[in-house]
Amino acid sequence: MQIRDLPYTDPGEPDVRSGPRFLLWLGLGQLSGQLKSLAWGLLHQCGIAGLPIGVGVAVQAVIDRSGARLALAGGIIAVLGVAIAVGDTMLHRTAVTNWITAAARVQQLLARKTAELGSLLTRRVAAGEVVAVSTGDVEKIGWFVEALSRFAAAAAALVIICVGLVLYQPALGVLVAVGVPVLALAVLPLLPPATRRADVQREKAGRATELASDTVAGLRVLRGIGGEELFLTRYREASQEVRRAAVRSARMWSLISAVQVLLPGLLLIAVVWYGASLARDGRIEVGELVTVYSAVTLMLYPLRHFEEIAMAYSFSRPSAVRAARVLALSRATDPSGTDTGVPSRTDGPSRRAEAPAGDLYDPASGLLAPEGRFTAVVCGDPDAAGRLAERLGGHAAEADGLPSALLGGVALDGLPLDTARAAVLVQDKDPVLLSGTLHELLDVPASGKVAPDEALAAAQCADVLDALAQASVDSDGDPMRTRITERGRSLSGGQRQRLALARSLVTDPEVLVLDEPTSAVDSHTESRVAGGVRRLRAGRTTVVFSSSPLLLDLADRVVLVHDGEVASVGLHRELLRTDARYRAVVTRETDEETHGQDTWEETA
């Protein structure tokens, strides 16, 4: 896999049973890239390891006053220099390719999981953790995958050097061959505490990121209640905890670095002392001593990769654990065990199946939305309404064991993701507008039967278009080419809500579920929006969660859901007269007012 070939056509199905298994799966998925990096790494490392041979031959040639051998030494050093340059260049190229492609694979997996779960992702995992996984954690995972091949090349080079020295000069070679494994393994007792400290640092950093994300998301509310200083103090405390944890982790890694310098230095002293005594006794030549000394000196470079791989693994393992935890989340399946005959999205790549049609029915609550009708749902608990709306879209908010919603008798949870999304679209009460132009916002998968201008007109977006046209700088006053800032922060709540509604209307799904689509607009605009949606969705199944009388009065069917179950069904005006609980929710009556009204009706 090359960078130019990204993104992956299919990033695959990851092994998310644990963080180490996920890292192993990533490494095996890039086996060809790892082997290429290993080959170039061996060329680079062996070129460095061969330099002492050339240096030793040159020194001995000078001592022996041999011009031919000096020329041979020069040729050896030149060839090794070319090998080092080419190997280092290609090693860096292939290693960085491994890093980027591994990070891209993880990002694609996260994006696919986000698309699969939708808004349920942040209900099951903190938003800050999702941000941490998709940014810093992806980079650390890529770092480990990139360092793996360089470590393997360094380890192989050390083995080759030790074997070569034993064959070249057994007396000194045995000393080096015994000392190198000690150097490589000496830091192992220090790795567990270093890893634990790194884990603590990552955990505290994740909490600080979550706090920062939550603070930014609720900044307007915080300003409204004067809570900026309180949250700023909390973030300062969290950041100081991260700093202290980072210092403690850095101390341990500095100790490991010191050991990696001290022990090779001791080995070098032992080699020089023993080699000098052998040369003094005439048992070895000076050139041989220089060769062994140079080889031991250059061995410090590949030994550094042992420290790097340990650090990369300690930092990437908690990141891989978090990524695996997010990727392990899946859509809820039908607990009744009903076989829909259609493979689930979680079983492999998404496959398009024939979208079902018919009435939308939720067995858990008894809610029925007849095909082709405008159904309004009144629920006194906004959170319960949100969970019911998600369940109608084939996504259970929690693993609560409730049966799946059915469309035309087919369980939505058992359908492939793309088929379920094409059949039922759920717009929650706080829809997100991605940054980009208005044209890009409305350029979504759609049936093609509803034009963008029709959807904008139905959602009463004329004033939004005027505002965008006036705010346009480089689009010649064309609102469709005006850029919308991230999450639509430059727009009011009502404007964002209506643009999101227009986007949903353009999609034109078989079933459209809207959760409080007009909660942020005034009553006059709300009435026109309700009429526009009813006209545009004529003949299509539409379910709207709302307690607005203006919207309820236009519905073909109104359903009251109380304590998670359907309590009443009828028309708005009829339910106002006959159902006290419905009247209390819609008119915002207090318990005392409701009781007084019931008493008056009984007296009358």
Side-chain angles (χ1 to χ4, degrees):
M1 186 69 180
Q2 299 296 321
I3 296 177
R4 63 176 176 269
D5 299 324
L6 294 175
Y8 286 93
T9 304
D10 179 13
E13 292 298 324
D15 187 345
V16 294
R17 288 175 290 178
S18 67
R21 287 179 180 271
F22 180 62
L23 291 175
L24 177 62
W25 176 83
L26 276 178
L28 293 177
Q30 295 184 305
L31 189 57
S32 61
Q34 294 289 343
L35 292 176
K36 290 179 183 178
S37 187
L38 175 60
W40 291 115
L42 280 174
L43 177 63
H44 174 61
Q45 297 282 358
C46 291
I48 294 175
L51 286 177
I53 298 176
V55 173
V57 172
V59 171
Q60 194 63 42
V62 171
I63 294 175
D64 297 339
R65 298 182 181 277
S66 173
R69 292 174 62 188
L70 185 61
L72 175 62
I76 293 175
I77 293 175
V79 171
L80 292 175
V82 173
I84 292 172
V86 174
D88 191 24
T89 301
M90 297 306 298
L91 171 62
H92 179 74
R93 180 186 180 93
T94 54
V96 171
T97 298
N98 290 337
W99 184 337
I100 294 176
T101 52
R105 186 190 294 271
V106 177
Q107 287 177 329
Q108 280 189 249
L109 290 170
L110 291 170
R112 189 176 71 182
K113 184 60 62 176
T114 302
E116 178 184 334
L117 296 177
S119 61
L120 292 180
L121 178 61
T122 53
R123 295 186 184 180
R124 298 180 181 181
V125 181
E129 183 170 352
V130 177
V131 173
V133 170
S134 58
T135 54
D137 286 341
V138 167
E139 182 177 354
K140 292 179 179 64
I141 292 171
W143 175 28
F144 174 76
V145 173
E146 178 262 344
L148 193 59
S149 56
R150 289 192 286 111
F151 163 73
L158 286 176
V159 173
I160 294 173
I161 292 173
C162 290
V163 173
L165 289 178
V166 170
L167 297 176
Y168 177 72
Q169 181 46 252
L172 291 176
V174 171
L175 176 62
V176 175
V178 172
V180 167
V182 174
L183 298 182
L185 302 177
V187 297
L188 287 182
L190 300 177
L191 291 180
T195 302
R196 287 194 296 269
R197 293 188 181 189
D199 289 348
V200 171
Q201 179 191 354
R202 300 275 75 75
E203 181 181 353
K204 292 184 179 295
R207 286 203 294 264
T209 302
E210 292 175 16
L211 181 59
S213 177
D214 293 341
T215 302
V216 171
L219 189 59
R220 290 187 177 181
V221 177
L222 291 177
R223 287 175 175 172
I225 63 176
E228 305 102 309
E229 190 61 35
L230 173 62
F231 273 78
L232 181 59
T233 301
R234 292 180 180 176
Y235 182 73
R236 283 173 179 164
E237 294 174 352
S239 63
Q240 287 303 309
E241 289 182 3
V242 174
R243 180 188 63 80
R244 287 190 290 268
V247 170
R248 292 186 71 249
S249 178
R251 285 173 180 169
M252 183 57 67
W253 287 111
S254 64
L255 177 59
I256 293 176
S257 298
V259 171
Q260 291 281 59
V261 173
L262 175 63
L263 294 184
L266 294 177
L267 176 62
L268 189 61
I269 293 173
V271 169
V272 172
W273 177 80
Y274 184 52
S277 64
L278 293 177
R280 183 185 58 193
D281 297 338
R283 296 167 58 185
I284 64 171
E285 295 181 348
V286 175
E288 292 176 336
L289 176 59
V290 172
T291 298
V292 175
Y293 171 80
S294 301
V296 174
T297 303
L298 293 176
M299 286 173 66
L300 301 180
Y301 176 71
L303 279 173
R304 283 290 181 181
H305 291 287
F306 284 76
E307 177 188 353
E308 182 192 13
I309 195 64
M311 182 179 293
Y313 179 74
S314 67
F315 277 78
S316 64
R317 187 180 61 82
S319 297
V321 169
R322 280 198 293 265
R325 184 165 59 243
V326 173
L327 294 175
L329 299 175
S330 61
R331 295 173 63 205
T333 55
D334 186 1
S336 65
T338 302
D339 184 5
T340 61
V342 183
S344 170
R345 171 65 185 85
T346 57
D347 293 334
S350 179
R351 295 173 287 272
R352 173 70 69 178
E354 185 67 26
D359 297 341
L360 180 63
Y361 177 65
D362 176 39
S365 63
L367 174 62
L368 174 67
E371 182 181 12
R373 304 285 294 279
F374 189 125
T375 302
V377 181
V378 177
C379 187
D381 184 355
D383 293 334
R387 291 192 295 269
L388 178 55
E390 292 289 350
R391 195 161 64 245
L392 290 178
H395 297 276
E398 302 290 344
D400 49 15
L402 295 178
S404 169
L406 307 176
L407 180 61
V410 177
L412 290 174
D413 287 349
L415 291 173
L417 178 63
D418 54 355
T419 303
R421 289 287 174 85
V424 182
L425 173 65
V426 179
Q427 177 181 305
D428 61 24
K429 66 185 64 176
D430 188 21
V432 175
L433 301 182
L434 301 179
S435 59
T437 65
L438 182 56
H439 173 75
E440 293 170 340
L441 175 70
L442 299 178
D443 186 17
V444 293
S447 67
K449 298 178 180 179
V450 178
D453 55 345
E454 294 177 312
L456 290 169
Q460 303 300 312
C461 294
D463 62 318
V464 184
L465 297 178
D466 292 340
L468 291 175
Q470 294 175 5
S472 174
V473 176
D474 54 358
S475 59
D476 299 327
D478 183 1
M480 299 298 292
R481 295 171 54 195
T482 303
R483 294 196 63 82
I484 299 173
T485 56
E486 181 186 4
R487 299 179 68 91
R489 298 187 188 280
S490 60
L491 305 173
S492 68
Q495 290 174 329
R496 289 196 302 270
Q497 203 170 53
R498 282 177 284 159
L499 285 180
L501 176 59
R503 178 179 58 187
S504 299
L505 294 174
V506 165
T507 303
D508 189 36
E510 185 69 28
V511 179
L512 178 61
V513 180
L514 304 172
D515 189 4
E516 295 289 355
T518 57
S519 60
V521 300
D522 60 83
S523 57
H524 182 65
T525 304
E526 183 179 39
S527 177
R528 291 185 295 165
V529 169
V533 171
R534 180 181 172 85
R535 287 192 300 273
L536 197 62
R537 292 288 299 174
R540 308 284 269 174
T541 306
T542 306
V543 181
V544 179
F545 286 78
S546 177
S547 59
S548 168
L550 294 172
L551 195 150
L552 297 172
D553 196 37
L554 294 177
D556 299 322
R557 174 186 173 92
V558 179
V559 180
L560 172 65
V561 176
H562 182 71
D563 289 338
E565 295 182 354
V566 172
S568 301
V569 179
L571 296 176
H572 169 62
R573 297 175 186 269
E574 173 187 338
L575 292 176
L576 275 179
R577 293 192 304 269
T578 61
D579 195 306
R581 285 180 300 190
Y582 178 83
R583 185 169 57 250
V585 174
V586 173
T587 63
R588 277 69 168 179
E589 290 180 352
T590 63
D591 292 340
E592 291 78 4
E593 291 172 334
T594 302
H595 179 71
Q597 179 71 13
D598 292 341
T599 304
W600 182 85
E601 291 177 352
E602 291 175 359
T603 303

